[in-house]
Amino acid sequence: KATVSVLNWNPTSSLSSVTNNPTMPHGDLSDVCSLAMLAAGVQHIFYPSFHLGDVFPQLELKKEFATLTPELELMMKFTGGLLLILGCMLFTVRWNTVNGKLSGLSMMSLAGYLSWICFEKLDKGVFVPRQWYILSGFLAVGGFSLMFFANPVIKEKKDKKE
């Protein structure tokens, strides 16, 4: 039985190196980001009012919105669906050095854009700790992982019949 200790976890490795399963590695940063996107998607769809209160007082995260209008709730649920798709995509696609570059770049670009609009538009140029920065952090780390620490391409060996 293969196990991986969290204390000895290497973010560039995956559980496939432990289990000797080259087909679908799990346990790397794209999976961690996937879980964060799935959790955020569920939260956006089923608990959009979560953004209205001061969340996690220990972390001093401030609320994103003052009121939840029907339009805002609809938009939150829509973006929650997109976050669920992104979470499933990050978990099920075998990212390698060929197909991870553009996805990683887009995730890092989205992280920068979300941080910018939160800082400039919502907070008027003054840093206020919010959930959006955590989501942006997961997107940036996941995108960086896809771009620079992708899984190697596995080429099948062809049997030569003579």
Side-chain angles (χ1 to χ4, degrees):
K1 182 177 179 182
T3 59
V4 174
S5 170
V6 175
L7 297 175
N8 295 327
W9 181 62
N10 179 357
T12 61
S13 69
S14 63
L15 292 178
S16 67
S17 62
V18 176
T19 60
N20 296 322
N21 179 10
T23 58
M24 188 62 191
H26 283 295
D28 55 6
L29 286 176
S30 66
D31 289 340
V32 174
C33 185
S34 168
L35 293 175
M37 296 302 112
L38 290 171
V42 168
Q43 182 258 309
H44 276 72
I45 291 172
F46 296 108
Y47 306 105
S49 61
F50 195 68
H51 289 278
L52 299 179
D54 288 339
V55 185
F56 303 117
Q58 305 87 341
L59 299 176
E60 299 180 9
L61 296 177
K62 302 299 178 194
K63 60 184 176 181
E64 271 86 14
F65 306 107
T67 59
L68 186 64
T69 64
E71 294 84 6
L72 179 60
E73 183 176 4
L74 179 67
M75 187 55 64
M76 299 265 308
K77 291 182 178 201
F78 176 77
T79 57
L82 295 175
L83 288 170
L84 286 178
I85 291 171
L86 181 59
C88 292
M89 177 190 75
L90 287 170
F91 193 72
T92 58
V93 174
R94 187 181 197 290
W95 300 103
N96 58 40
T97 55
V98 176
N99 68 1
K101 301 292 184 200
L102 184 59
S103 300
L105 179 64
S106 65
M107 286 175 65
M108 290 172 54
S109 299
L110 179 59
Y113 180 68
L114 286 177
S115 297
W116 178 78
I117 60 172
C118 186
F119 182 75
E120 288 292 326
K121 304 295 182 184
L122 190 61
D123 297 333
K124 309 292 188 242
V126 177
F127 179 76
V128 177
R130 297 185 188 273
Q131 295 177 53
W132 281 11
Y133 294 116
I134 295 173
L135 184 65
S136 295
F138 276 109
L139 285 167
V141 168
F144 187 81
S145 172
L146 292 183
M147 288 185 71
F148 300 109
F149 298 108
N151 300 305
V153 178
I154 297 175
K155 296 182 181 181
E156 293 183 23
K157 295 179 182 178
K158 294 182 181 180
D159 293 334
K160 291 183 179 181
K161 295 182 181 179
E162 293 183 45

